[in-house]
Amino acid sequence: MLRRGGLPCHPQPAVPHAIVDGSPARQGYRGPRKMKPKPRALVPRAIAPRRAAAVLGAMVGLVLAAAAVAGEASPWVEGHHSRARLVAGGADGAARLAAIEIVLDPGFKTYWRSPGESGLPPAFDWAWSENLSAAEVLWPAPHRFEDAGGVAYGYKDRVLLPVRVSPSDAGKPLRLALKLDYGVCKDICIPAQASLALALRPGEAGPPAPELAAALARVPRPQALGAPGDLSILAVDPETVDGKPALAVAVRAPPGADLFVEAPAGWYVAAGRLQPLPAASGGADGRFLVEIFERPKDAAGTLDLRLTLAAGERAVETAARLDTARLPR
């Protein structure tokens, strides 16, 4: 995506990806330690069978636990300084939950649905799934990254993207097959790709796992413009910054909150940092100035915006509509 100032992250040819061998040997497990046999006289005959049964029971338990874990996630697929997999996630009403998990090497990041000044947003292709009626990716609020290349929105270290999936027939198995394209960036942006598959059998859905529940909690909650509460977007008004058109977004939010603004195709806008306001400011704690860097030459009518306000582990999402005739030229 070309933005002002050029594209610091230049797409490169995708590198080959291989499915990581998930066998115990590759996970660091080397099997039971080989103990030097004890003299028979030191092993009482009366307890030897009992001990053998206990050891056998423990080994069976380990095998069953490993099988359960293997059934909850697809194998890892290696990408450029990253790896990805699908994870089963429990239930969400009549729908099922899964998650796309991406783990990144230190210093690398991947992108939100709107990547900012540069970068590659993830793309999802579920076409080869079986018994799938719908798949909706739910986006936890991103983080803001600033470097010499500009401002980007995304995730570092590790991210779980929850997915709400609906089977065509709830009584039949659901097989998810995902072709995932995503960008991995440090100094330059490299496209990565992973083909992932996971079977969800009927009747296996339970409450979401704690890590998935935490990711769901960071998915912005829909909220109306001007809604009450200590995290709220109150108003969006035209503004001028250095003689150029901009927007002023009044909010109630704690210090350090971030605003992410998404606009229609042909528009490019970006919010600055939160600016505190005096106490008597119509209930607002502060405001964000949103610069308009690009817009269609013949823009007319209304401008529909999607605004995400994030503070710590909480986030809200608000739709706003602005008459373009009110914008300075």
Side-chain angles (χ1 to χ4, degrees), residues 287-305:
R287 71 171 187 170
F288 291 90
L289 285 178
V290 180
E291 293 188 67
I292 301 175
F293 296 112
E294 296 177 14
R295 64 178 177 179
K297 292 181 178 180
D298 300 323
T302 57
L303 171 61
D304 291 315
L305 300 170

Side-chain angles (χ1 to χ4, degrees), residues 26 57-58 60 66 70 112 115 129 153 221 231 242 288 293 307 321:
R26 293 297 297 273
V60 170
W112 189 47
S129 299
Y153 312 136
R221 174 172 50 87
L231 189 65
D242 297 330
F288 291 90
F293 296 112
L307 304 103
R321 175 168 287 180

Side-chain angles (χ1 to χ4, degrees), residues 166-181:
S166 301
S168 301
D169 186 337
K172 294 182 178 180
L174 170 59
R175 181 181 180 274
L176 299 178
L178 169 64
K179 179 185 175 186
L180 169 66
D181 291 279

